[in-house]
Amino acid sequence: MQEQAQAQDDLISRAQAWLAEDPDPETAAELSALIEAGDTAELADRFSGTLQFGTAGLRGEIGAGPMRMNRGVVIRAAAGLAAYLKAQGHDGGLVVVGYDARYKSADFARDTAAVMTGAGLRAALLPRPLPTPVLAYAIRHLGAVAGVEVTASHNPPRDNGYKVYLGDGSQIVSPADTEIAAQIAAVEKLADVPRPESGWQDLGDEVLEAYLARTDAVLTPGSPRGVRTVYTAMHGVGKDVVMAAFARHGFPEPVLVAEQAEPDPAFPTVAFPNPEEPGAMDLAFAKAFEVQPDIVIANDPDADRCAVAVPTADGWRMLRGDEVGALLAAHLVHKGARGVFAESIVSSSLLGRIAEAAGVGYEETLTGFKWIARVEGLRYGYEEALGYCVDPEGVRDKDGVTAALLVAELASVLKEQGRTLTDLLDDLAMAHGLHATDQLSVRVSDLSIIADAMAALRAQPPVSLAGLRVVSAEDLSKGTESLPPTDGLRYYLDGEYKARVIARPSGTEPKLKCYLEVVVPVAEASDLAAARVRGQELLDAIKKDLSAAMGI
């Protein structure tokens, strides 16, 4: 009992110490109420450690304490980043800061600009909530040594995040993440971090105008621009930039999903503000039934992802990220693009076959654009989670705005030919086989479920899935000849279907993700319907057996 009482006293002491230097009246009031109520269970959760800084930067729920996203955590992160940059010889260098429209984003961005200024660096703050790709563009455009984007992308409303880029315009990778984390850990008291009230530059619209001018490079001069679009910003920051880009290039004005057009950090019309989540596209589809466009385009809240939906005989269908990735690759090949086409290991192998047939380079990377963007000679990169880099010279990251423009151009070209995106997918299936993909995604509230599932697979790997023998089982945590280590498992299955399974924990959400692919041979157009049925049967069977193997 004495030990328990001592532990509770220590917990209260740590909470009071945090409260004493909390710069935010809202989180200070929240923490004070928890201390006063003696809510030791909640306090223990918030003070069980420190939100870890990694290659995804920081991401977590907003609230008081070191295990939450708040101004105290952000100020320490900014101070650690500043110390890292100075240690790298960038004293006096420029750091550009952008932010989305989530709760506290503007506060976190201003705190970052103040910390950079106080540390002897120069800081420039984007003028208002803007898409993440505008920040990624601004880093190289302004010659910055680093950039920070305050965003939690498509996470739930109560989350926020802190994404760090270095001067090449790419997100950080190891060892920069661990070196920045060490500098953050070295920050002792917030009072020791200088935060002047001014001294940074508040940028105007000139950077946004330069970004929009750069989008000229995405499209072919004089190409068709006749596609009619319904567009949703998913309560995020994409609308104004997308509308300006479409107008600049002569596309018909997209019809907006009015309920989701303006930024709203509560995301009131969706359970999760991610176009991939069930129900997220319902309002967009309702608008499409009303106005009968050629395609539907959606961005996630920070507009670095792009979703596409097409009409079918049974209604509107969201294209998988792998389908859009293949369509854009085929379009770029047709436009004469040269260079390296790259994708993450969890994306469809169809890209490699398109690249091989076109005689362009191809490379696989670990999951995340922090890896894709670093491919030497990159011309195009994508991953299945709706991320596409179609202009790496402009933005070395996924960009939902330029991807939307390129999708619109492709759909316009096909429309002029009396064809659709679906027709082009059929062409690719006949040329390379039907690449059917699916995902087994399990969202958890207890992260130990993910660890236990991965441990179960490592302890007893499946010997067959869907009746297909597992012929290769790789533990990616050990690395491969071409890939550095990552927490994941990859299986290849026997037979003509070239089936592949990858299981990994999400890097940004409390999810276990398994990526499935089968390739069904297609001899002629009349085989397509049966191939799709067969592909889905195999995917469903693999999913069922994999769930059993993981114990979930």
Side-chain angles (χ1 to χ4, degrees), residues 345-409:
I345 57 172
V346 299
S347 304
S348 171
S349 58
L350 177 56
L351 183 68
R353 294 183 173 91
I354 292 171
E356 183 181 14
V360 300
Y362 169 74
E363 193 164 324
E364 267 191 333
T365 74
L366 292 184
T367 307
F369 271 82
K370 58 184 175 283
W371 300 109
I372 293 171
R374 285 180 160 74
V375 169
E376 191 172 344
L378 180 68
R379 175 58 187 87
Y380 168 63
Y382 99 91
E383 65 180 9
E384 55 74 44
L386 310 181
Y388 314 96
C389 175
V390 301
D391 178 28
E393 289 305 306
V395 175
R396 297 193 77 81
D397 196 8
K398 54 186 177 293
D399 183 346
V401 179
T402 50
L405 286 174
L406 197 60
V407 167
E409 181 184 57

Side-chain angles (χ1 to χ4, degrees), residues 55 173-174 177 345 365-367 370-371 458 475-489 504:
T55 54
V173 295
S174 184
D177 57 343
I345 57 172
T365 74
L366 292 184
T367 307
K370 58 184 175 283
W371 300 109
R458 286 190 166 102
D475 188 340
L476 298 176
S477 66
K478 300 174 182 177
T480 71
E481 286 185 8
S482 58
L483 297 170
T486 187
D487 187 7
L489 299 163
R504 60 178 284 271

Side-chain angles (χ1 to χ4, degrees), residues 61 75 138 156 207 210 220 224 245 264 289 324 336 338 360 387 397 411 414 416 425 429 456 459 474 494 515 537:
E61 184 179 348
I75 290 166
V207 170
T220 301
D264 188 336
F289 277 115
V324 178
R338 308 305 296 172
V360 300
D397 196 8
L414 292 168
E416 198 166 86
L425 286 172
E474 293 175 282
D494 194 19
Y515 306 83
E537 288 174 349

Side-chain angles (χ1 to χ4, degrees), residues 231-278:
Y231 171 76
T232 176
M234 204 68 68
H235 298 296
V237 298
K239 182 201 73 175
D240 290 347
V241 180
V242 167
M243 296 295 275
F246 271 59
R248 177 184 181 90
H249 297 295
F251 289 101
E253 182 177 348
V255 176
L256 295 175
V257 179
E259 302 94 327
Q260 299 175 333
E262 300 302 327
D264 188 336
F267 304 108
T269 68
V270 292
F272 293 98
N274 178 356
E276 291 182 296
E277 293 283 351

Side-chain angles (χ1 to χ4, degrees), residues 159-189:
D159 287 4
N160 213 328
Y162 199 80
K163 185 184 291 188
V164 176
Y165 298 76
L166 295 183
D168 62 354
S170 303
Q171 297 173 49
I172 56 168
V173 295
S174 184
D177 57 343
T178 54
E179 292 171 4
I180 295 170
Q183 295 283 8
I184 294 170
V187 178
E188 294 185 358
K189 297 179 180 179

